[in-house]
Amino acid sequence: MEESSTWKSVFLCAAGALALLVLADVLLARVAPTQPLRELRDGISDFRAGDPEILVLGSSHGRTFHVLGQELSRRRGAPGLLVSIPLENGKLVPYEWVLKNRLLPLITATGTNGERMRGNLRRLILITEWWDSCSFTGPGRPYWNLPGRAWAFEHYVNDVIDTGVDSYNKNYLDHLYRRLFRRSVLVQSRGTSRIASSVERMIAGQATLRTPEEEASYLAAWRKMVEAGEECIGAPEQIVALRRILTTSLSLGLDTTVVLFPRKPATITATAAAGTIEQFHHLASGVATEMGVRFIDLTLGTPLDDSDFMDDYDHVNAKGNRKFAEWALDNDLSFLLEPPANTP
Amino acid sequence: MSFIEVEFLFFLPIVWMVHWLLPRRIGAQNAALLASSYLFFAAWHWKVLGLVIAGTIVDYLVGSYLGRTTGSKESATSRRIALATSLLFGLGALAFFKYEGFFASSINALLMSLGFSSSLPVLKLALPLGISFYTLQRVGYVLDVYWGRHPPARTFLDFAVFTSFFPQVTAGPISRASELLSQLQRPRHLTADLLARGAAAFLMGYVLKGWAGDSIGNDLVNPVFDRSTEFGVLAHWAGVGGYALQVFGDFAGYSLMAIGVGRLFGIELPVNFNFPFLSRSLPEFWRRWHITLNRWLFDYIFTPLTTSRGWFRGRIDTALLVTFLASGLWHGANWTFVLWGALHGLGMIVHRNWDEIYRGWCRRNRAWVQRRKSWWYAAFAWLVTIGFFVLTLVPFRSSNIGAATDFAARMFSSPGDALPPIGINVMLAVLVMIGYHLLETKHFAWCRERYFALPPFVRGLTYGAVIVFLMIKTPVASGTFIYQQF
């Protein structure tokens, strides 16, 4: 801008920049599309707007229960029976935070007549797995998923007053920024290698996310991680949080269930099955039995096969979600088909 | 909150709109700027505001008093007391927060080595945001008023904005009262030219800081310095060379962004970097690198020393050494920075004396004048200047003198043999840095002219392409900001 600019030239310049940004976003969305995912905020909104019978609290795996909820509503002929609250990258301590700070005020909210505004709520299902019981180690404040995914504005302001803006609470604004531009692939993928690697794959003519060598290496890393899980499962603070979640749920008079979420079969070696998976089963079932709540282990006990999981090996894909929903309501979760007898 | 962090994406549009929606009166505009600036400080931590406001009140009162008593002989002593009060408060706070630990631990170590037991408390205090920068700006203002170079601020509001203007508090530029205060004392108007130049400076700064500097730092410099023993001799040279580019990208980029933001509010901040890697002598380098700090050091340390009636009068070499030692100490409370400052002080002395000798040759034989204008003299002078600067960055980047010595030794003989980690990203970033400098030379002036002659819409497309590239390559709030630590 060496020569003096006019408002017209500034407008044309900005229009050119904006046009290219939009064009690039549209084109890159074809190469590296982003999938809008159900987040905790969506669950809170649904809960606030409705009066469900079942609340599902858990990590990103809770998204699978959103599909299950739709199937349940179809079978019982009643909409909005189940609301899932998925906290991405969650652990038991953050689940407890969500229950206490975001859900409890809504559960116990009363109307002008003094009765609960969401009086239909009868059940709470906690979705978990071994990873949720391992604590983060290392410097800084853990549970960075909370500011971004679970905080309301007041939590952000209070934290900034306490500590100033830091790398922990900035996750709140980072996610707000991403939510504001939900449809922009440039914003959603910013700073990750997603776009660059997608373009590279497209140029190389590679149809899959990984080459066979990369796939083998990725699978090996997963297996190693699951096998190593037995060294961290059952972190005291996570188990305390688990007990508190169940205690809170029971104190609200809710029919409470702990569900261990299905894992991709290929990621579970015999060593992992006998170690991490078995040990966590005993740990979680022990707590559930002690607290008197229902316990269902679906880690490997569903008809989901490897093709029902996403490329990340962690989450169930759309086909798998439908398969899981139909199977679960015919089997281990069939009790959801009947309205519960208890009253809060 | 820095300019590349996500908070700033929310902060800037809001305060910008508030500022320009208010009536175009000085009071309203300055009130908006002050509120924005204090919010900026508070985002770091609201407790820091107490220090900022206290210092502002002290220096405003002192400045007003000095302004009222200018030329009054009977009040000379009280004027000196007022000046001393201001300097003690400002520099005392800086010394306490920035240097307490350094001096206490150094004194403890010295006394221990002499056989005395000493345990001065070493407080590990967080350095308040921008204290190194706004302290110098305030000290400059008070001294300018004391010496009668500049009238005092008309109102407290003007002065409070002058000392806390948020684009420059994190890392400068350090403005003189004549540059910034005078702009704050008249209403600003947003012009198309200011908006365009502000946005362009911000974008260029983001390229240098947000992508180029951080890419070189993360991919090349940090691995080599952090795992020095694994790398060979070549990697050590590449690492320290890369660090020169990283620091430049980091700081020049951030300064450009500050200048860009200033323009968006109708305020022109002074230039802080003027293509320093084109320099052919050390004095020229320091007139191009961190310009506002160096002119502050020369205005308020070097010049008073050499022109006063004291011991330093005429002792230019000693004054140069003192000035650059102060520069080193300003950069950080560590002996590595003191060493870095001393090396540059000595470099300046060597250059000054060489220049004297060369001028003598020129006076005796005009052929020496022509030699100095030759391309090979320019190339040699450039190589020596930039080479010297790059080498002095070894202590600057090292955590202690021992680490600096080890790294310097490995630049000639290293147990490791790994090659420098230079990928496509680093190469591209280096090319951008080189291109940025070359475009400023007369040989490439035609490139600039042709580019700015393009239709605005086409230029906009290129800006859009740069933004797309930045969005693909840089995460929000990537990396750290080196000069914020100073």
Side-chain angles (χ1 to χ4, degrees):
Chain A
M1 298 276 174
E2 291 208 325
E3 287 179 15
S4 196
S5 302
T6 61
W7 284 112
K8 184 183 171 189
S9 69
V10 169
F11 173 77
L12 286 170
C13 198
L18 193 63
L20 197 112
L21 266 170
V22 172
L23 183 68
D25 213 290
V26 170
L27 291 177
L28 289 170
R30 289 166 177 259
V31 182
T34 53
Q35 194 182 350
L37 296 172
R38 181 177 173 82
E39 291 286 354
L40 185 135
R41 275 167 225 283
D42 303 314
I44 299 281
S45 298
D46 288 349
F47 188 37
R48 184 177 282 126
D51 188 7
E53 182 184 294
I54 308 155
L55 208 51
V56 177
L57 178 61
S59 67
S60 47
H61 300 133
R63 290 181 191 124
T64 293
F65 278 73
H66 184 60
V67 179
L68 186 138
Q70 291 168 337
E71 176 64 14
L72 179 68
S73 287
R74 190 185 68 77
R75 291 195 191 185
R76 283 180 50 185
L81 286 173
L82 180 150
V83 167
S84 71
I85 313 283
L87 176 61
E88 186 76 42
N89 207 20
K91 289 191 176 287
L92 290 160
V93 170
Y95 300 155
E96 190 207 350
W97 189 95
V98 170
L99 179 61
K100 184 181 165 190
N101 294 282
R102 299 303 310 268
L103 297 178
L104 214 50
L106 293 174
I107 294 171
T108 56
T110 52
T112 47
N113 56 2
E115 291 184 6
R116 280 191 186 172
M117 292 167 71
R118 293 167 191 85
N120 277 338
L121 188 66
R122 297 288 186 277
R123 299 186 197 276
L124 182 122
I125 300 176
L126 177 70
I127 310 294
T128 188
E129 58 150 329
W130 67 268
W131 194 84
D132 297 354
S133 74
C134 291
S135 281
F136 290 113
T137 53
R141 290 196 278 172
Y143 313 120
W144 44 265
N145 51 334
L146 275 181
R149 318 272 179 175
W151 278 8
F153 184 63
E154 72 210 54
H155 300 117
Y156 173 70
V157 171
N158 288 337
D159 199 75
V160 169
I161 289 170
D162 282 348
T163 66
V165 171
D166 62 17
S167 58
Y168 181 72
N169 59 38
K170 76 167 65 240
N171 284 300
Y172 175 80
L173 286 185
D174 186 34
H175 279 267
L176 180 59
Y177 163 65
R178 286 174 197 273
R179 284 204 308 282
L180 286 173
F181 299 95
R182 263 185 119 146
R183 293 187 177 278
S184 164
V185 67
L186 280 169
V187 171
Q188 298 305 318
S189 305
R190 183 169 174 187
T192 65
S193 57
R194 245 178 54 80
I195 292 176
S197 56
S198 298
V199 171
E200 280 171 24
R201 279 201 308 278
M202 189 188 73
I203 293 168
Q206 184 186 323
T208 54
L209 180 66
R210 302 182 193 93
T211 62
E213 295 77 28
E214 288 169 340
E215 201 72 52
S217 165
Y218 192 70
L219 178 60
W222 255 96
R223 287 176 168 171
K224 195 175 165 189
M225 183 181 75
V226 181
E227 285 176 4
E230 66 179 327
E231 291 168 19
C232 66
I233 56 172
E237 61 171 351
Q238 305 296 343
I239 301 304
V240 167
L242 173 62
R243 288 177 190 281
R244 283 191 190 144
I245 292 168
L246 300 181
T247 304
T248 305
S249 178
L250 292 172
S251 71
L252 291 166
L254 301 178
D255 174 66
T256 308
T257 308
V258 174
V259 174
L260 303 196
F261 193 75
R263 304 306 322 162
K264 177 166 175 155
T267 61
I268 312 293
T269 60
T271 309
T276 307
I277 303 300
E278 182 67 18
Q279 284 182 31
F280 186 66
H281 170 92
H282 283 299
L283 187 68
S285 64
V287 174
T289 306
E290 181 193 321
M291 307 283 291
V293 303
R294 190 182 294 109
F295 176 77
I296 300 169
D297 186 351
L298 300 177
T299 308
L300 292 168
T302 70
L304 293 180
D305 58 37
D306 289 344
S307 69
D308 294 317
F309 285 80
M310 291 185 184
D311 288 331
D312 63 5
Y313 286 20
D314 190 17
H315 300 96
V316 180
N317 60 28
K319 175 177 74 106
N321 281 338
R322 286 193 298 275
K323 190 171 164 182
F324 174 79
E326 286 168 16
W327 175 85
L329 290 175
D330 288 338
N331 294 278
D332 294 45
L333 300 177
S334 59
F335 67 92
L336 298 177
L337 292 169
E338 297 299 324
N342 68 327
T343 50
Chain B
M1 188 191 324
S2 79
F3 302 153
I4 61 165
E5 286 177 275
V6 68
E7 289 81 12
F8 201 69
L9 287 176
F10 291 89
F11 177 83
L12 181 64
I14 293 171
V15 299
W16 187 78
M17 279 192 288
V18 169
H19 180 271
W20 290 115
L21 284 173
L22 287 171
R24 307 287 158 82
R25 289 200 296 269
I26 305 170
Q29 288 185 329
N30 285 353
L33 282 185
L34 186 64
S36 309
S37 299
Y38 281 180
L39 189 62
F40 194 85
F41 273 108
W44 189 82
H45 205 297
W46 62 268
K47 286 179 183 169
V48 80
L49 272 178
L51 187 67
V52 174
I53 294 169
T56 305
I57 292 170
V58 169
D59 286 341
Y60 174 71
L61 293 175
V62 169
S64 300
Y65 173 75
L66 293 175
R68 279 200 311 276
T69 55
T70 301
S72 146
K73 283 186 181 175
E74 59 272 22
S75 60
T77 307
S78 51
R79 280 169 59 81
R80 281 198 204 102
I81 291 170
L83 176 65
T85 306
S86 162
L87 296 183
L88 266 176
F89 190 91
L91 296 176
L94 180 65
F96 179 70
F97 283 103
K98 191 166 177 176
Y99 301 110
E100 191 281 336
F102 172 65
F103 284 122
S105 56
S106 298
I107 290 167
N108 286 343
L110 179 69
L111 291 175
M112 294 267 282
S113 68
L114 294 173
F116 298 101
S117 66
S118 170
S119 57
L120 287 175
V122 180
L123 307 174
K124 289 181 178 170
L125 301 165
L127 193 64
L129 177 74
I131 191 169
S132 301
F133 293 90
Y134 67 68
T135 301
L136 295 199
Q137 190 156 307
R138 279 192 204 146
V139 168
Y141 161 81
V142 172
L143 285 171
D144 280 352
V145 176
Y146 178 77
W147 286 325
R149 287 180 187 166
H150 198 274
R154 284 183 212 152
T155 68
F156 179 75
L157 183 60
D158 298 349
F159 182 69
V161 179
F162 168 70
T163 62
S164 65
F165 185 42
F166 76 86
Q168 59 173 158
V169 290
T170 312
I174 302 162
S175 299
R176 289 169 171 154
S178 57
E179 290 163 340
L180 180 57
L181 191 56
S182 51
Q183 291 185 72
L184 294 170
Q185 291 177 334
R186 56 176 187 261
R188 276 88 60 190
H189 299 277
L190 184 64
T191 64
D193 195 49
L194 269 176
L195 183 66
R197 290 192 303 114
F202 191 85
L203 184 60
M204 189 66 232
Y206 207 116
V207 171
L208 291 176
K209 192 308 176 237
W211 170 67
D214 285 353
S215 295
I216 295 171
N218 294 333
D219 297 354
L220 169 63
V221 178
N222 295 349
V224 173
F225 273 87
D226 295 346
R227 306 194 310 273
S228 172
T229 51
E230 295 173 20
F231 288 95
V233 168
L234 184 63
H236 283 78
W237 286 91
V240 74
Y243 185 57
L245 293 176
Q246 184 199 356
V247 177
F248 170 75
D250 189 81
F251 193 20
Y254 203 87
S255 293
L256 258 181
M257 291 166 84
I259 290 167
V261 175
R263 285 174 184 159
L264 297 183
F265 288 87
I267 287 170
E268 194 72 53
L269 293 172
V271 172
N272 219 15
F273 283 80
N274 184 23
F275 307 94
F277 292 128
L278 298 177
S279 307
R280 294 176 196 168
S281 71
L282 210 49
E284 183 187 2
F285 184 87
W286 287 116
R287 285 194 300 272
R288 288 173 176 265
W289 180 284
H290 204 173
I291 298 165
T292 58
L293 172 69
N294 289 300
R295 70 179 191 187
W296 190 97
L297 292 167
F298 275 78
D299 281 355
Y300 302 110
I301 296 181
F302 179 82
T303 305
L305 280 179
T306 51
T307 57
S308 67
R309 275 172 274 171
W311 182 85
F312 278 101
R313 186 176 183 87
R315 289 185 164 86
I316 292 175
D317 288 348
T318 316
L320 276 174
L321 190 60
V322 169
T323 304
F324 277 90
L325 281 172
S327 174
L329 205 54
W330 177 88
H331 278 87
N334 192 321
W335 287 109
T336 53
F337 292 114
V338 177
L339 174 62
W340 174 82
L343 288 172
H344 275 280
L346 291 172
M348 291 287 282
I349 292 167
V350 168
H351 177 271
R352 200 181 79 81
N353 286 285
W354 160 252
D355 203 46
E356 292 270 321
I357 293 166
Y358 200 98
R359 281 187 203 177
W361 295 346
C362 290
R363 279 192 289 272
R364 283 196 291 277
N365 183 350
R366 300 300 292 172
W368 288 103
V369 177
Q370 290 308 313
R371 282 179 196 133
R372 203 168 210 180
K373 289 178 181 171
S374 65
W375 70 266
W376 58 264
Y377 186 96
F380 182 72
W382 178 84
L383 199 65
V384 171
T385 303
I386 303 305
F388 178 77
F389 173 72
V390 168
L391 287 176
T392 59
L393 288 176
V394 173
F396 195 89
R397 172 64 172 75
S398 301
S399 54
N400 55 58
I401 297 286
T405 312
D406 291 344
F407 190 94
R410 288 186 205 118
M411 291 174 77
F412 299 96
S413 172
S414 175
D417 57 1
L419 291 170
I422 298 177
I424 187 82
N425 208 32
V426 171
M427 279 195 275
L428 202 55
V430 171
L431 281 176
V432 165
M433 298 273 196
I434 293 170
Y436 177 72
H437 278 79
L438 285 181
L439 283 172
E440 186 59 19
T441 63
K442 61 183 177 188
H443 308 293
F444 291 91
W446 60 272
C447 283
R448 284 202 317 273
E449 284 162 14
R450 284 195 187 175
Y451 178 75
F452 287 109
L454 288 171
F457 187 81
V458 179
R459 266 186 290 137
L461 290 176
T462 64
Y463 293 145
V466 172
I467 295 169
V468 168
F469 178 80
L470 288 174
M471 292 190 79
I472 291 174
K473 297 299 287 183
T474 64
V476 179
S478 62
T480 54
F481 177 44
I482 296 172
Y483 262 72
Q484 192 174 3
Q485 299 154 28
F486 299 148

